[in-house]
Amino acid sequence: MAREVRARKNTRNFGIIAHIDHGKSTLADRILEITGTIPKNELKPQHLDRLEVERERGVTVKMQAVQIDYTASDGELYHLNLIDTPGHVDFSYEVSRSLAACEGVLLLVDAVQGVEAQTIANYMLALSENLVIIPVINKIDLPAADISRVSEEMKEALDIHPGDILLASAKEGRGVCEVLDAVVSRIPPPSIEEGETRSIIFDSHYDTFRGVVAYVRVFSGALRKGDMITLMSSGRRYEISEIGVFKPEMSPRERLDSGDVGYLIAGIKEPGEVRIGDTVTLAEGPASKPLPGYKKLVPMVYAGYFPSEGESFENLRAALMKFGLNDPSLVFEHERSGIFGYGYRCGFLGLFHMEIVQERLEREYEVSIVATAPTVVYRVFLREDEYIEIKNPTEYPENRKLLKVQEPYVRLTVVAPVEFIGAVMELCREKRGEFRNTEYLSEKRVSLEYLLPLSEVIFDFFDRLKSCTRGYGSMNYEFASYLDSDLVKLKILVGGREADSLSLIVHRDEAYRRGRRIVERLRKAIPRHQFEVSVQAAVGSRVIARETIPPMRKNVTAKCYGGDVTRKRKLIEKQKAGKKRLKNVGNVRIPQEAFLAILDTVREKQP
Ligand code: GDP
Ligand code: MG
């Protein structure tokens, strides 16, 4: 027992948080290198970014845990569990879950960029988890580094005492040992809780051979290889076949004790049996009640995912189930589309999240997907206190009398240099924003707060903000409330038939412009048919934009070098039947590229 207590005393669990690109993954690299966790010749830049999408885009979207052995300046050996986290607003659920496994965090701020919107958001998250926060100004090697201005911003925006701030260059390795010593001296060891064994599953992934690998933080008691365990939400029992820590590869151990972060494998083959946030306890002498778990997430954006041409629904289903283990913020339910057939309506935390999910599904799970336009969840009131939630525009009750419609609004924070205040305000006004507040972080930087419709934020706000602030603006948002709005369903008709998966819900003032754009794109993307094809955008029964694709002027009989009359006639008959059938069922053949082109016009890319 004494040995165990000592072991706990020398354990620290901490995360690294920051705005995107402020150097979290690079600092993690240096820590891995300096502590000899990864030999220098094996260390790749952003070593903990292990996903293909992360390496390619240079952005972290997954938390990653790693255990480090470090001999601190007091001469003692410490086990440090480090969790690297993403910085983008869409992935704050990853951040909040990793923070729940930690006692402290390093908060990095770029010495040139200064405090940005996600710096504030992540700081608030760490504060609400009662974590010790170690502020670090990173990239001090850069010629434009302005340490005094950045410290001032940290004091102003975050109430951080300048004397507490450490200085580092993750690139050059300067200040990294001081950072690690601060982790040891400022962050408390995990408290030892006696009694019932309880561990939280904070993440997981699916291994083709071994099934579910659950990532756990043990809060009390211990888990050993060979133990029979129970997952408290289902009551199911399993035997631990392997348990261990991340180095960052999985390294087996005999046991994990209270305070430890690691993984366990227990022969769970069905992805649906494991739920992130669930409590693991021992089957013999189980805990009386589970750990609090995680806050239930509300998706911000929905879109349909369908198997693309030649792909099977079954593959899509299996991929989503396995993927769900690694990304609990993704929700999905069945959907059927007139155009794409069977698929799923998926809920995401934002557009960037949606993009990453699709890319990961395609790369890591090898399914090919068509995604429909993203939409927020609207509330349609049929009576005063009775509404339905619409997360698919095709469900919009057009034919019924509606009392009112509401859309979600967010509290948007934009941080930018003062010279861009005018441009940002103009953009927010255009996006139907309502000004709330201004706060000066320093003489040069300002934080603006707006109440703005979520649908406007997810559309192309980020790109517009970047361009109107020459890349210096950053943003964060959180759900505020549902408010009344003048919304309509914009229908797209091809050959007079509604193309269900192309419908959108838009603000009345925007309907014409959006409809016009889609109709123009479709005209270019739909190949000519043997008959005229009309493409229309309509609100209710009113057509607001129309384009016509003229028929092909191909003379099929030309192929039949005169002569054989019966063959000629047969061909004409067939062509007629075909024509009729196509027209009758409104079967205009629209190539998949056409949909993708349309979806691009409604979904502007995030970073
Ligand atoms: P993250 O998004 O917070 O994980 O940031 P990364 O670690 O991916 O770093 C973003 C960029 O900043 C990369 O190009 C790094 O090479 C660079 N970077 C990180 N730390 C430093 C530093 O201390 N000095 C300089 N000059 N560049 C750095
Ligand atoms: Mg990173």
Side-chain angles (χ1 to χ4, degrees):
M1 191 62 206
R3 198 192 59 82
E4 259 174 54
V5 170
R6 215 177 94 84
R8 286 323 85 209
K9 195 170 107 329
N10 286 13
T11 297
R12 299 289 184 276
N13 299 315
F14 72 105
I16 309 184
I17 56 174
H19 190 77
I20 198 161
D21 273 351
H22 283 201
K24 295 177 292 295
S25 301
T26 308
L27 179 64
D29 288 350
R30 281 301 83 64
I31 292 177
L32 295 178
E33 185 185 320
I34 286 169
T35 56
T37 309
I38 309 269
K40 193 167 178 168
N41 56 358
E42 286 172 25
L43 191 77
K44 299 172 287 196
Q46 283 95 26
H47 195 88
L48 295 181
D49 287 346
R50 300 159 77 80
L51 303 176
E52 240 179 81
V53 283
E54 295 183 312
R55 303 214 59 84
E56 211 162 84
R57 292 172 177 248
V59 46
T60 311
V61 298
K62 248 336 266 182
M63 64 165 102
Q64 180 67 50
V66 57
Q67 193 180 81
I68 294 155
D69 293 332
Y70 176 64
T71 307
S73 55
D74 62 6
E76 292 240 11
L77 179 69
Y78 290 87
H79 294 299
L80 310 180
N81 287 306
L82 155 67
I83 305 182
D84 185 21
T85 61
H88 192 280
V89 52
D90 285 9
F91 294 90
S92 56
Y93 191 53
E94 288 287 315
V95 181
S96 71
R97 276 169 23 245
S98 39
L99 295 191
C102 295
E103 277 77 36
V105 290
L106 297 173
L107 174 73
L108 296 197
V109 182
D110 184 308
V112 177
Q113 303 292 329
V115 170
E116 305 211 51
Q118 284 301 306
T119 315
I120 302 173
N122 285 327
Y123 172 82
M124 293 303 180
L125 211 56
L127 214 56
S128 69
E129 293 278 343
N130 291 316
L131 301 183
V132 171
I133 296 166
I134 302 175
V136 181
I137 296 182
N138 184 36
K139 306 198 191 183
I140 56 167
D141 59 288
L142 290 173
D146 188 346
I147 294 164
S148 65
R149 191 202 93 222
V150 173
S151 321
E152 186 195 325
E153 286 177 12
M154 290 167 80
K155 178 156 181 12
E156 204 46 51
L158 314 173
D159 211 15
I160 285 173
H161 181 56
D164 292 339
I165 300 174
L166 301 175
L167 304 179
S169 162
K171 191 173 173 189
E172 296 180 347
R174 265 200 281 164
V176 176
C177 285
E178 287 75 4
V179 166
L180 288 175
D181 284 336
V183 166
V184 167
S185 62
R186 296 193 204 171
I187 298 175
S191 59
I192 309 170
E193 290 172 43
E194 296 297 333
E196 305 162 329
T197 293
R198 296 198 297 177
S199 312
I200 196 156
I201 301 179
F202 65 90
D203 201 0
S204 62
H205 78 261
Y206 194 84
D207 182 290
T208 320
F209 303 107
R210 307 205 281 175
V212 177
V213 180
Y215 302 10
V216 293
R217 149 90 199 234
V218 184
F219 278 93
S220 56
L223 294 170
R224 295 168 203 81
K225 187 177 168 179
D227 277 350
M228 287 300 294
I229 52 165
T230 302
L231 299 185
M232 291 190 79
S233 70
S234 65
R236 281 175 183 257
R237 295 159 64 115
Y238 306 91
E239 186 184 330
I240 298 180
S241 60
E242 184 179 319
I243 193 161
V245 297
F246 297 102
K247 286 286 218 172
E249 274 69 37
M250 295 191 282
S251 314
R253 293 285 183 271
E254 279 308 306
R255 56 189 287 161
L256 290 178
D257 290 294
S258 121
D260 280 340
V261 173
Y263 70 91
L264 65 84
I265 298 172
I268 309 172
K269 292 288 183 211
E270 202 41 62
E273 287 177 26
V274 172
R275 200 174 51 76
I276 289 185
D278 201 357
T279 301
V280 180
T281 189
L282 293 175
E284 296 296 325
S288 44
K289 66 178 202 298
L291 292 161
Y294 302 118
K295 206 169 59 183
K296 205 167 160 2
L297 272 191
V298 187
M300 291 270 193
V301 185
Y302 282 85
Y305 270 5
F306 297 92
S308 60
E309 251 166 73
E311 183 58 88
S312 76
F313 172 75
E314 192 40 47
N315 276 352
L316 175 61
R317 194 192 77 87
L320 280 171
M321 292 297 287
K322 289 175 186 168
F323 184 80
L325 276 176
N326 201 235
D327 186 348
S329 59
L330 175 72
V331 302
F332 48 94
E333 60 190 41
H334 285 278
E335 177 180 351
R336 198 184 126 58
S337 148
I339 299 174
F340 301 116
Y342 288 99
Y344 288 93
R345 178 108 314 227
C346 301
F348 308 91
L349 295 180
L351 273 204
F352 185 49
H353 183 219
M354 171 171 168
E355 207 181 294
I356 293 290
V357 170
Q358 183 172 352
E359 205 173 316
R360 288 189 63 193
L361 280 168
E362 298 196 325
R363 288 178 167 211
E364 296 165 34
Y365 299 86
E366 293 174 348
V367 289
S368 174
I369 293 166
V370 180
T372 65
T375 178
V376 301
V377 180
Y378 296 96
R379 283 184 180 169
V380 175
F381 283 75
L382 303 170
R383 269 189 238 115
E384 192 47 59
D385 48 3
E386 187 192 325
Y387 64 83
I388 46 176
E389 292 201 328
I390 303 289
K391 50 190 181 218
N392 184 346
T394 56
E395 294 162 358
Y396 198 80
E398 249 187 322
N399 306 324
R400 295 175 65 175
K401 194 160 161 41
L402 309 180
L403 193 64
K404 64 180 177 188
V405 188
Q406 290 188 333
E407 66 178 323
Y409 273 67
V410 295
R411 207 169 299 106
L412 173 83
T413 310
V414 172
V415 174
V418 287
E419 60 264 40
F420 300 113
I421 291 182
V424 172
M425 289 184 131
E426 182 54 42
L427 173 63
C428 290
R429 214 176 0 253
E430 186 194 316
K431 295 291 186 181
R432 301 192 277 137
E434 229 176 75
F435 174 75
R436 280 300 145 100
N437 196 19
T438 326
E439 194 187 330
Y440 280 81
L441 306 180
S442 66
E443 263 171 38
K444 294 197 177 139
R445 264 170 112 70
V446 65
S447 160
L448 298 168
E449 200 184 299
Y450 272 83
L451 192 64
L452 210 116
L454 174 62
S455 61
E456 299 286 352
V457 177
I458 64 166
F459 182 48
D460 61 355
F461 193 89
F462 188 74
D463 287 349
R464 295 281 305 279
L465 176 69
K466 281 287 167 195
S467 69
C468 82
T469 59
R470 279 195 250 118
Y472 290 112
S474 63
M475 62 182 252
N476 184 54
Y477 60 85
E478 57 185 2
F479 172 75
S481 62
Y482 270 88
L483 296 172
D484 293 356
S485 206
D486 190 8
L487 300 165
V488 292
K489 177 180 174 185
L490 179 65
K491 276 186 301 196
I492 304 298
L493 299 105
V494 178
R497 295 274 301 225
E498 184 177 345
D500 61 355
S501 295
L502 291 185
S503 311
L504 296 173
I505 294 170
V506 298
H507 193 262
R508 191 181 297 278
D509 297 346
E510 276 288 289
Y512 176 75
R513 199 180 62 82
R514 299 282 288 272
R516 191 71 249 152
R517 248 174 99 184
I518 293 177
V519 162
E520 274 162 20
R521 284 298 284 265
L522 266 182
R523 177 176 58 79
K524 291 188 194 130
I526 297 177
R528 286 187 180 198
H529 283 60
Q530 282 158 0
F531 47 88
E532 186 178 280
V533 175
S534 67
V535 184
Q536 297 161 305
V539 170
S541 55
R542 198 163 58 87
V543 173
I544 56 172
R546 181 191 163 103
E547 288 282 339
T548 308
I549 302 166
M552 244 179 326
R553 245 172 287 125
K554 199 170 86 187
N555 181 0
V556 285
T557 58
K559 273 193 216 144
C560 312
Y561 331 96
D564 189 347
V565 181
T566 41
R567 222 179 116 211
K568 205 185 259 179
R569 189 176 309 126
K570 251 193 205 152
L571 198 52
I572 292 168
E573 286 302 314
K574 224 163 102 190
Q575 194 190 17
K576 240 196 215 151
K579 234 178 188 169
K580 221 163 149 192
R581 204 187 78 230
L582 290 177
K583 266 187 178 161
N584 282 351
V585 295
N587 195 357
V588 174
R589 253 179 257 120
I590 308 178
Q592 196 172 294
E593 299 91 75
F595 286 105
L596 301 183
I598 298 313
L599 296 177
D600 274 348
T601 72
V602 290
R603 171 184 55 200
E604 244 89 325
K605 303 244 158 164
Q606 291 239 351

